[in-house]
Amino acid sequence: MIDGKTRLLGLLGQPVEHSLSPAMHNAALIDMGLNWSYLPLHCSSGDLENVLNALRGLNFIGLNVTIPHKQSVAKMCAELTPLAQKIGAVNTLLPNDQEGWIGTNTDVEGFVSPLKKNSQNWEGLNAVIIGCGGSAKAVVAGLEELRFAKISIVSRNPDSLKRFLNDVQLNTSKTERGEPITKIAGFFQEDRSLSNQLKKADLIVNATPVGMTTKSNEISKQNDIPLGPNIWDEVSPQTTLYDLIYTPNPSPWLAWGAKRGFHCINGLEMLVQQGASSLRLWSGTRDVPVNKMREAAQSSLNN
Ligand code: NAP
């Protein structure tokens, strides 16, 4: 029940209509007994700065940021955490002591969470990331945190790949001797050596929308698997396949992998864990009802 004392949180994006975050966060807020409410806030790029200032003026206690604003908002924050600075993208805002916002990024924590299950040790292993957009930057930061030895980034677009590599190589963590802890290389999608990189990978992450459906378009957007169906036959089923997509569940790629005995991870847990991490920051408590958030996200997906 909203009353005069209700405090507000929200998700800024375009579109936000089909986001699972309001259902997930409001379920958690009720469970925590907080008189707070989490709203979807549709905002165009042209209005972004005014909206951010207005929401700060309205005393919002926190915001999430989604497509397509994560990078633009990073440039509008009064302060950035070192992680948000490194990635150049913000998905969570907290008010600072003056009139601005502190930007941080919980996508990295969300992404690594299922990889840390069962205390699996990824140190020294090889990963491939398909796609070099906004979320791929959080994926690189997560894989660096897990101390992968090598990350190969695959892109269909040589220009975006070059820009992406420049950014991530500049910000990569270094040893005391100035060497990168994780080596990062780029591959064009048509590159002949790509199939070798896939064969050597311990983990392959799809950070493209290939295979995704949306509620506004029930037919698969690209009823396909990343890099096409033929390249996967020689990849060992010992490899873990991680698709950031959570709709459909499973994605065509993970459905293919599961049939052949690959260990598969979909993007729902990343979504839930990044949300839980944002809520910990806003509420100042570690104890947030992650199971309730997962149930609410899952049931909102099913409806
Ligand atoms: P983005 O910034 O638009 O980047 C998408 C990347 O995929 C770009 O590198 C793009 O290449 C590439 N791409 C797009 N269509 C392609 C195709 N048909 N073939 C090959 N490459 C293609 O998007 P994003 O924010 O990184 O999101 C990527 C995916 O991750 C989306 O499906 C999103 O829903 C999902 N995601 C999930 C979570 C979660 O919590 N589970 C969080 C964030 C994102 P170009 O540069 O050539 O366009």
Side-chain angles (χ1 to χ4, degrees), residues 7 20 28 52 58 71 82 99 165 172 178 210 219 240 243 283 287 289 294 296:
R7 314 277 324 260
L20 306 182
L52 277 176
L58 289 171
Q71 296 185 50
E99 288 169 5
L165 289 173
T172 192
V210 176
I219 301 160
T240 296
D243 203 333
S283 64
D287 196 16
R294 189 180 296 109

PDB file of all heavy atoms in Angstrom, residues 7 20 28 52 58 71 82 99 165 172 178 210 219 240 243 283 287 289 294 296:
ATOM      1  N   ARG A   7       8.905   5.172   0.150  1.00  0.00           N
ATOM      2  CA  ARG A   7      10.143   5.620  -0.519  1.00  0.00           C
ATOM      3  C   ARG A   7      10.220   4.923  -1.876  1.00  0.00           C
ATOM      4  O   ARG A   7       9.734   3.808  -2.042  1.00  0.00           O
ATOM      5  CB  ARG A   7      11.381   5.246   0.317  1.00  0.00           C
ATOM      6  CG  ARG A   7      11.302   5.539   1.790  1.00  0.00           C
ATOM      7  CD  ARG A   7      11.626   6.969   2.176  1.00  0.00           C
ATOM      8  NE  ARG A   7      12.645   7.637   1.434  1.00  0.00           N
ATOM      9  CZ  ARG A   7      13.908   7.805   1.833  1.00  0.00           C
ATOM     10  NH1 ARG A   7      14.318   7.271   2.966  1.00  0.00           N
ATOM     11  NH2 ARG A   7      14.755   8.507   1.117  1.00  0.00           N
ATOM     12  N   LEU A  20      11.626  -7.771 -15.858  1.00  0.00           N
ATOM     13  CA  LEU A  20      11.244  -8.599 -14.710  1.00  0.00           C
ATOM     14  C   LEU A  20      11.611  -7.906 -13.391  1.00  0.00           C
ATOM     15  O   LEU A  20      11.213  -8.353 -12.322  1.00  0.00           O
ATOM     16  CB  LEU A  20      11.969  -9.951 -14.762  1.00  0.00           C
ATOM     17  CG  LEU A  20      11.835 -10.784 -16.041  1.00  0.00           C
ATOM     18  CD1 LEU A  20      12.584 -12.100 -15.886  1.00  0.00           C
ATOM     19  CD2 LEU A  20      10.361 -11.053 -16.347  1.00  0.00           C
ATOM     20  N   ALA A  28      10.626  -8.645  -3.139  1.00  0.00           N
ATOM     21  CA  ALA A  28      11.644  -8.589  -2.075  1.00  0.00           C
ATOM     22  C   ALA A  28      11.289  -7.503  -1.046  1.00  0.00           C
ATOM     23  O   ALA A  28      11.411  -7.722   0.166  1.00  0.00           O
ATOM     24  CB  ALA A  28      13.012  -8.310  -2.677  1.00  0.00           C
ATOM     25  N   LEU A  52      17.216  12.177 -14.609  1.00  0.00           N
ATOM     26  CA  LEU A  52      18.103  11.813 -13.484  1.00  0.00           C
ATOM     27  C   LEU A  52      18.094  12.909 -12.421  1.00  0.00           C
ATOM     28  O   LEU A  52      18.003  12.630 -11.221  1.00  0.00           O
ATOM     29  CB  LEU A  52      19.540  11.640 -13.986  1.00  0.00           C
ATOM     30  CG  LEU A  52      19.899  10.290 -14.601  1.00  0.00           C
ATOM     31  CD1 LEU A  52      21.324  10.320 -15.124  1.00  0.00           C
ATOM     32  CD2 LEU A  52      19.752   9.170 -13.571  1.00  0.00           C
ATOM     33  N   LEU A  58      13.352  14.390  -6.408  1.00  0.00           N
ATOM     34  CA  LEU A  58      12.179  13.746  -5.800  1.00  0.00           C
ATOM     35  C   LEU A  58      12.573  12.783  -4.690  1.00  0.00           C
ATOM     36  O   LEU A  58      11.742  12.080  -4.136  1.00  0.00           O
ATOM     37  CB  LEU A  58      11.398  12.966  -6.869  1.00  0.00           C
ATOM     38  CG  LEU A  58      10.640  13.808  -7.890  1.00  0.00           C
ATOM     39  CD1 LEU A  58      10.097  12.923  -9.005  1.00  0.00           C
ATOM     40  CD2 LEU A  58       9.504  14.554  -7.218  1.00  0.00           C
ATOM     41  N   GLN A  71      25.784   3.212 -20.480  1.00  0.00           N
ATOM     42  CA  GLN A  71      27.039   3.945 -20.696  1.00  0.00           C
ATOM     43  C   GLN A  71      26.825   5.451 -20.572  1.00  0.00           C
ATOM     44  O   GLN A  71      27.668   6.160 -20.027  1.00  0.00           O
ATOM     45  CB  GLN A  71      27.639   3.567 -22.049  1.00  0.00           C
ATOM     46  CG  GLN A  71      28.015   2.084 -22.040  1.00  0.00           C
ATOM     47  CD  GLN A  71      28.716   1.627 -23.290  1.00  0.00           C
ATOM     48  OE1 GLN A  71      29.670   2.245 -23.720  1.00  0.00           O
ATOM     49  NE2 GLN A  71      28.242   0.539 -23.876  1.00  0.00           N
ATOM     50  N   PRO A  82      35.112   2.399  -8.524  1.00  0.00           N
ATOM     51  CA  PRO A  82      36.202   1.975  -9.416  1.00  0.00           C
ATOM     52  C   PRO A  82      35.736   0.961 -10.464  1.00  0.00           C
ATOM     53  O   PRO A  82      36.158   0.997 -11.621  1.00  0.00           O
ATOM     54  CB  PRO A  82      37.223   1.363  -8.460  1.00  0.00           C
ATOM     55  CG  PRO A  82      36.962   2.021  -7.147  1.00  0.00           C
ATOM     56  CD  PRO A  82      35.490   2.307  -7.094  1.00  0.00           C
ATOM     57  N   GLU A  99      23.765  16.648  -4.467  1.00  0.00           N
ATOM     58  CA  GLU A  99      22.524  16.499  -5.238  1.00  0.00           C
ATOM     59  C   GLU A  99      22.672  15.546  -6.403  1.00  0.00           C
ATOM     60  O   GLU A  99      21.868  15.564  -7.329  1.00  0.00           O
ATOM     61  CB  GLU A  99      22.079  17.887  -5.726  1.00  0.00           C
ATOM     62  CG  GLU A  99      21.548  18.704  -4.580  1.00  0.00           C
ATOM     63  CD  GLU A  99      21.350  20.154  -4.922  1.00  0.00           C
ATOM     64  OE1 GLU A  99      21.538  20.528  -6.094  1.00  0.00           O
ATOM     65  OE2 GLU A  99      21.017  20.906  -4.006  1.00  0.00           O
ATOM     66  N   LEU A 165      38.382  -3.875 -27.712  1.00  0.00           N
ATOM     67  CA  LEU A 165      39.688  -4.354 -27.231  1.00  0.00           C
ATOM     68  C   LEU A 165      40.511  -3.202 -26.668  1.00  0.00           C
ATOM     69  O   LEU A 165      41.165  -3.340 -25.636  1.00  0.00           O
ATOM     70  CB  LEU A 165      40.449  -5.050 -28.362  1.00  0.00           C
ATOM     71  CG  LEU A 165      39.899  -6.414 -28.787  1.00  0.00           C
ATOM     72  CD1 LEU A 165      40.625  -6.924 -30.022  1.00  0.00           C
ATOM     73  CD2 LEU A 165      40.000  -7.431 -27.652  1.00  0.00           C
ATOM     74  N   THR A 172      42.578  -3.367 -18.096  1.00  0.00           N
ATOM     75  CA  THR A 172      42.742  -4.706 -17.542  1.00  0.00           C
ATOM     76  C   THR A 172      43.645  -4.707 -16.293  1.00  0.00           C
ATOM     77  O   THR A 172      44.545  -3.874 -16.174  1.00  0.00           O
ATOM     78  CB  THR A 172      43.303  -5.650 -18.637  1.00  0.00           C
ATOM     79  OG1 THR A 172      43.205  -6.961 -18.194  1.00  0.00           O
ATOM     80  CG2 THR A 172      44.730  -5.345 -18.986  1.00  0.00           C
ATOM     81  N   GLY A 178      53.510  -5.548 -14.340  1.00  0.00           N
ATOM     82  CA  GLY A 178      52.828  -4.791 -15.397  1.00  0.00           C
ATOM     83  C   GLY A 178      52.257  -5.667 -16.502  1.00  0.00           C
ATOM     84  O   GLY A 178      51.823  -5.161 -17.539  1.00  0.00           O
ATOM     85  N   VAL A 210      21.439 -13.175 -30.033  1.00  0.00           N
ATOM     86  CA  VAL A 210      21.081 -14.240 -30.987  1.00  0.00           C
ATOM     87  C   VAL A 210      20.371 -15.384 -30.253  1.00  0.00           C
ATOM     88  O   VAL A 210      20.919 -15.962 -29.313  1.00  0.00           O
ATOM     89  CB  VAL A 210      22.339 -14.783 -31.714  1.00  0.00           C
ATOM     90  CG1 VAL A 210      21.981 -15.951 -32.619  1.00  0.00           C
ATOM     91  CG2 VAL A 210      22.998 -13.670 -32.507  1.00  0.00           C
ATOM     92  N   ILE A 219       7.766 -14.746 -31.674  1.00  0.00           N
ATOM     93  CA  ILE A 219       8.561 -15.562 -32.588  1.00  0.00           C
ATOM     94  C   ILE A 219      10.021 -15.246 -32.323  1.00  0.00           C
ATOM     95  O   ILE A 219      10.382 -14.101 -32.103  1.00  0.00           O
ATOM     96  CB  ILE A 219       8.222 -15.213 -34.048  1.00  0.00           C
ATOM     97  CG1 ILE A 219       6.739 -15.446 -34.280  1.00  0.00           C
ATOM     98  CG2 ILE A 219       9.062 -16.015 -35.032  1.00  0.00           C
ATOM     99  CD1 ILE A 219       6.194 -14.717 -35.467  1.00  0.00           C
ATOM    100  N   THR A 240      31.745 -25.441 -20.481  1.00  0.00           N
ATOM    101  CA  THR A 240      30.516 -24.858 -19.932  1.00  0.00           C
ATOM    102  C   THR A 240      29.984 -23.812 -20.908  1.00  0.00           C
ATOM    103  O   THR A 240      30.742 -22.967 -21.393  1.00  0.00           O
ATOM    104  CB  THR A 240      30.808 -24.201 -18.560  1.00  0.00           C
ATOM    105  OG1 THR A 240      31.217 -25.225 -17.655  1.00  0.00           O
ATOM    106  CG2 THR A 240      29.585 -23.496 -17.996  1.00  0.00           C
ATOM    107  N   ASP A 243      24.719 -18.690 -21.502  1.00  0.00           N
ATOM    108  CA  ASP A 243      23.992 -17.759 -22.361  1.00  0.00           C
ATOM    109  C   ASP A 243      23.400 -16.659 -21.485  1.00  0.00           C
ATOM    110  O   ASP A 243      22.668 -16.965 -20.532  1.00  0.00           O
ATOM    111  CB  ASP A 243      22.862 -18.516 -23.093  1.00  0.00           C
ATOM    112  CG  ASP A 243      22.443 -17.802 -24.360  1.00  0.00           C
ATOM    113  OD1 ASP A 243      22.604 -16.569 -24.412  1.00  0.00           O
ATOM    114  OD2 ASP A 243      21.968 -18.477 -25.292  1.00  0.00           O
ATOM    115  N   SER A 283      19.556  -0.950   0.553  1.00  0.00           N
ATOM    116  CA  SER A 283      18.970  -1.200   1.875  1.00  0.00           C
ATOM    117  C   SER A 283      20.033  -1.236   2.975  1.00  0.00           C
ATOM    118  O   SER A 283      19.701  -1.159   4.150  1.00  0.00           O
ATOM    119  CB  SER A 283      18.209  -2.527   1.876  1.00  0.00           C
ATOM    120  OG  SER A 283      19.108  -3.602   1.658  1.00  0.00           O
ATOM    121  N   ASP A 287      21.203  -9.122   3.967  1.00  0.00           N
ATOM    122  CA  ASP A 287      20.185 -10.157   4.065  1.00  0.00           C
ATOM    123  C   ASP A 287      18.980  -9.825   3.190  1.00  0.00           C
ATOM    124  O   ASP A 287      17.968  -9.339   3.678  1.00  0.00           O
ATOM    125  CB  ASP A 287      19.791 -10.242   5.556  1.00  0.00           C
ATOM    126  CG  ASP A 287      19.048 -11.507   5.841  1.00  0.00           C
ATOM    127  OD1 ASP A 287      19.107 -12.423   5.004  1.00  0.00           O
ATOM    128  OD2 ASP A 287      18.389 -11.564   6.901  1.00  0.00           O
ATOM    129  N   PRO A 289      16.039 -11.243   0.311  1.00  0.00           N
ATOM    130  CA  PRO A 289      15.401 -12.542   0.026  1.00  0.00           C
ATOM    131  C   PRO A 289      15.588 -12.985  -1.427  1.00  0.00           C
ATOM    132  O   PRO A 289      14.705 -12.840  -2.271  1.00  0.00           O
ATOM    133  CB  PRO A 289      13.926 -12.272   0.344  1.00  0.00           C
ATOM    134  CG  PRO A 289      13.743 -10.818   0.130  1.00  0.00           C
ATOM    135  CD  PRO A 289      15.051 -10.150   0.394  1.00  0.00           C
ATOM    136  N   ARG A 294      13.995 -14.681  -7.076  1.00  0.00           N
ATOM    137  CA  ARG A 294      14.093 -15.670  -8.158  1.00  0.00           C
ATOM    138  C   ARG A 294      12.701 -16.193  -8.526  1.00  0.00           C
ATOM    139  O   ARG A 294      12.342 -16.271  -9.689  1.00  0.00           O
ATOM    140  CB  ARG A 294      15.006 -16.823  -7.728  1.00  0.00           C
ATOM    141  CG  ARG A 294      15.351 -17.779  -8.863  1.00  0.00           C
ATOM    142  CD  ARG A 294      16.259 -18.893  -8.400  1.00  0.00           C
ATOM    143  NE  ARG A 294      17.557 -18.430  -7.948  1.00  0.00           N
ATOM    144  CZ  ARG A 294      17.977 -18.429  -6.684  1.00  0.00           C
ATOM    145  NH1 ARG A 294      17.209 -18.883  -5.714  1.00  0.00           N
ATOM    146  NH2 ARG A 294      19.173 -17.978  -6.372  1.00  0.00           N
ATOM    147  N   ALA A 296       9.823 -14.691  -8.057  1.00  0.00           N
ATOM    148  CA  ALA A 296       9.020 -13.628  -8.699  1.00  0.00           C
ATOM    149  C   ALA A 296       9.461 -13.442 -10.152  1.00  0.00           C
ATOM    150  O   ALA A 296       8.622 -13.270 -11.047  1.00  0.00           O
ATOM    151  CB  ALA A 296       9.168 -12.325  -7.922  1.00  0.00           C
TER     152      ALA A 296
END
